């Protein structure tokens, strides 16, 4: 709710054409260090699936699953159906959900840098506790600390990257977070493949090595500059301008600086960002913060990334083959993110999201068809069909990697006005983690109950989310982060929720509606 008097209206005119600057080493170094937070997120996504397929780990913490897995009479789809095992994976994301909401006031009042450091410290503690766990309680507590780290890191890092990046390269630099996430997943898969041969302590090394990126994030974060947007919002205006000049490599930053100051005036008039974000004029951004992360998870990618070894073993792959297959999907995901970085600021967000969605639907339907026809309770996939399944899964991961993987984070992180940015990113992260928790907790049961139909379930959601992008997501390529409100006023649907204000040089000019 605004303070006394009429609240400022925020950015009132388009100045994007007047922005000056280039990519400086300060921007590159800051983005690399901040994006390590994505590596932490990815490492945990990849590591849990491999660890839960290791017999020494299961014998200690989940003996029931260990006996189910090695029982020849068990239904192929139900070997790993255990709510306790699912809780090992999902507890992290439930903790992250709560932490992401708690991180919002920290990020807004103390800066993006502070939240990044807090996330690194918590994740380091969680990784250490998991590595030395001797009972399920220690294991779950460690996962909760990891979740707190992810909540803080995911809340702050995408916002940090969006605010540091020059507008013409914001999409590519913001995707450093997703690239780091995919590198984390790939690293986890490679480590799992190696540690499975180390006997009873291999799983401890897998879980404990998560402390390495956490340490890098904590130490590196202490050397990061705070973003100009955050400094100005906290009233340190002169310092904010100096940082802006340094990261843009020029003193000619008047236009961008003025946008930040106007946005800050509105931000500082808002006492309750979470209450403000549900106002009618912020409905477009709120919708993106809810639907984009929800669809990102409902497309089914986490069922593959979390449980790739488990999933491939359920399909009849051996232990080595399943881990090799998960490494392969990690390589594909990492490579496809590079494709997205190269194209996002040239092709735009919408085309990548729509084309990726179409390919993902086709892949899910093909896998469901093969499993439905060729795989049953007492059947194993032939070598030929197993190869096809892995290939199609890789094509699915490829499409996700250039579209919904990075853009599911990028689009929400770049659309919020400054006064609701930390709250909006908290909602984005909370929704993502809520659906991640739901899928992580329910996937093994859904696989057991729906069997091959689980892939059709995800295919339906991909159709829905692709249509959502086509009709409701505007193209944000090249639009300065402080001028996004002007974009909503031009959209065929969202313009009815966003009030039109007079420009500084006269009445508001009519604009052609855009998708």
């Amino acid at each position: 709710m605004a303070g006394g008097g009429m609240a400022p209206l925020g950015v009132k005119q388009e100045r994007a054409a007047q922005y000056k600057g280039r990519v400086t080493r300060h921007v590159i170094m800051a983005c690399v260090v901040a994006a390590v937070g994505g590596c932490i997120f990815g490492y945990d996504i990849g590591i849990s699936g491999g660890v839960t397929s290791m017999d020494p780990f299961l014998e200690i913490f989940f003996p029931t699953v260990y006996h189910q897995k090695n029982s020849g009479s068990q239904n192929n789809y139900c070997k790993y159906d255990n709510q306790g095992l699912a809780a090992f994976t999902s507890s992290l994301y439930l903790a992250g959900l709560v932490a992401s909401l708690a991180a919002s006031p920290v990020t807004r009042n103390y800066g993006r840098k502070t939240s990044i450091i807090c996330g690194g410290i918590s994740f380091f503690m969680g990784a250490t506790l998991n590595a030395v766990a001797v009972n399920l309680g220690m294991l779950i507590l460690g996962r909760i600390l990891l979740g707190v780290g992810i909540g803080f890191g995911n809340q702050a890092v995408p916002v940090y990257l969006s605010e540091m990046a020059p507008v013409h390269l914001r999409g590519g630099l913001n995707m450093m977070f997703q690239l780091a996430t995919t590198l984390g997943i790939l690293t986890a898969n490679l480590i799992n493949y190696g540690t499975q041969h180390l006997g009873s302590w291999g799983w401890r090394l897998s879980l404990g090595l998560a402390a390495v990126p956490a340490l890098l994030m904590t130490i590196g974060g202490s050397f990061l500059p705070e973003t100009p947007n955050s400094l100005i919002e906290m009233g340190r205006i002169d310092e904010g301008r100096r940082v802006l000049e340094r990261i843009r490599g020029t003193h000619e930053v008047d236009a961008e600086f003025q946008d930040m100051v106007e946005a800050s005036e509105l931000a500082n008039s808002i006492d309750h960002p979470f209450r403000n974000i549900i106002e009618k004029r912020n409905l477009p951004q709120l919708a993106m913060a809810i639907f984009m992360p929800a669809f990102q998870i409902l497309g089914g990618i986490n069922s593959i990334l979390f449980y790739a070894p488990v999933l491939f073993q359920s399909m009849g792959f051996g232990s080595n083959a399943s881990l090799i297959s998960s490494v392969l999907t990690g390589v594909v995901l990492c490579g496809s993110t590079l494709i997205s970085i190269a194209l996002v600021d040239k092709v735009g967000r919408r085309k990548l999201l729509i084309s990726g969605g179409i390919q993902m639907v086709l892949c899910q339907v093909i896998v469901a068809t093969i499993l439905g026809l060729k795989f049953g309770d007492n059947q194993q996939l032939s070598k030929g069909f197993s190869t096809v399944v892995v290939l199609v899964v890789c094509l699915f991961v490829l499409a996700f990697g250039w579209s919904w993987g990075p853009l599911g984070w990028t689009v929400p992180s770049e659309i919020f006005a400054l006064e609701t940015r930390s709250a909006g990113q908290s909602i984005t992260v909370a929704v993502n983690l809520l659906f991640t928790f739901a899928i992580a907790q329910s996937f093994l049961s859904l696989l057991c109950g729906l069997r091959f139909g689980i892939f059709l379930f995800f295919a339906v959601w991909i159709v829905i989310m692709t249509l959502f992008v086509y009709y409701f997501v505007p193209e944000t390529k090249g639009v300065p982060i402080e001028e996004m409100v002007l974009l909503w006023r031009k959209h065929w649907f969202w313009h009815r929720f966003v009030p039109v204000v007079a420009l500084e040089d006269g009445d508001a000019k009519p604009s052609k509606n855009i998708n």
Side-chain angles (χ1 to χ4, degrees), residues 1-3 7-8 266 269-287 416 419-420 427 494 496-499:
M1 185 174 180
L266 178 56
S269 73
I270 304 300
D271 295 326
H272 305 288
F274 281 101
R275 187 185 304 169
N276 180 262
I277 204 172
I278 63 175
E279 291 183 3
K280 180 180 177 181
R281 65 189 178 90
N282 290 319
L283 184 61
Q285 299 97 310
L286 181 60
F416 284 98
E419 74 272 13
T420 57
I427 292 172
W494 298 119
R496 68 195 70 185
F497 301 101
V498 182

Side-chain angles (χ1 to χ4, degrees), residues 72-130:
S73 61
Q74 183 66 40
N75 182 306
N76 282 326
Y77 286 104
C78 301
K79 287 182 177 180
Y80 291 89
D81 182 19
N82 180 276
Q83 288 301 296
L85 182 63
F88 165 73
T89 299
S90 66
S91 58
L92 178 148
Y93 303 99
L94 187 60
L97 189 162
V98 176
S100 67
L101 297 176
S104 176
V106 176
T107 302
R108 187 184 188 207
N109 297 325
Y110 300 101
R112 287 59 165 148
K113 174 179 173 178
T114 300
S115 284
I116 291 173
I117 295 173
C118 289
I121 293 172
S122 182
F123 205 96
F124 180 82
M125 293 170 59
T128 303
L129 188 57
N130 271 175

Side-chain angles (χ1 to χ4, degrees), residues 137-159:
M138 290 180 67
L139 197 67
I140 297 299
L141 179 58
R143 295 289 289 180
I144 290 172
L145 287 171
L146 294 176
V148 172
I150 282 179
F152 272 82
N154 286 17
Q155 199 276 343
V157 170
V159 171

Side-chain angles (χ1 to χ4, degrees), residues 26 37 54 58 70 131 159 172 190 231 254 269 353 355 371 459-460 515:
H26 299 287
M54 296 182 186
L58 294 175
N70 294 287
V159 171
L190 289 170
L231 291 170
D254 290 343
S269 73
L353 286 167
S355 61
L371 296 182
V460 171
N515 286 327

Side-chain angles (χ1 to χ4, degrees), residues 107 112 154-164 174 227 413 421-422 425-426 481:
T107 302
R112 287 59 165 148
N154 286 17
Q155 199 276 343
V157 170
V159 171
Y160 184 90
L161 295 174
S162 288
E163 292 182 344
M164 292 292 286
N174 195 294
T227 70
S413 74
R421 192 166 299 156
S422 61
Q425 185 64 18
S426 286
I481 193 169

Side-chain angles (χ1 to χ4, degrees), residues 20 43 46 49 52 57 81 85 89 110 116-117 184-185 225 237 285 333 335 374 380 392 426-427 458 494 514:
K20 305 290 184 182
Y43 187 88
T52 53
F57 174 83
D81 182 19
L85 182 63
T89 299
Y110 300 101
I116 291 173
I117 295 173
I185 293 170
I237 297 176
Q285 299 97 310
L333 182 61
K374 299 295 181 179
Q380 299 293 322
V392 175
S426 286
I427 292 172
F458 290 130
W494 298 119
I514 60 175

Side-chain angles (χ1 to χ4, degrees), residues 196-213:
Q196 69 167 329
H197 303 293
L198 298 179
S200 60
W201 61 276
W203 63 270
R204 294 187 184 276
L205 182 60
S206 288
L207 295 177
L209 284 175
V212 175

Side-chain angles (χ1 to χ4, degrees), residues 160-229:
Y160 184 90
L161 295 174
S162 288
E163 292 182 344
M164 292 292 286
V167 62
H168 64 289
L169 294 174
R170 188 182 62 239
L173 290 180
N174 195 294
M175 284 183 183
M176 291 288 291
F177 180 77
Q178 179 64 17
L179 178 61
T181 300
T182 62
L183 287 172
I185 293 170
L186 175 58
T187 301
N189 288 333
L190 289 170
I191 287 174
N192 279 334
Y193 180 69
T195 57
Q196 69 167 329
H197 303 293
L198 298 179
S200 60
W201 61 276
W203 63 270
R204 294 187 184 276
L205 182 60
S206 288
L207 295 177
L209 284 175
V212 175
L215 193 61
L216 292 175
M217 180 177 171
T218 305
I219 296 175
S222 64
F223 293 100
L224 289 178
E226 188 54 82
T227 70
N229 314 65

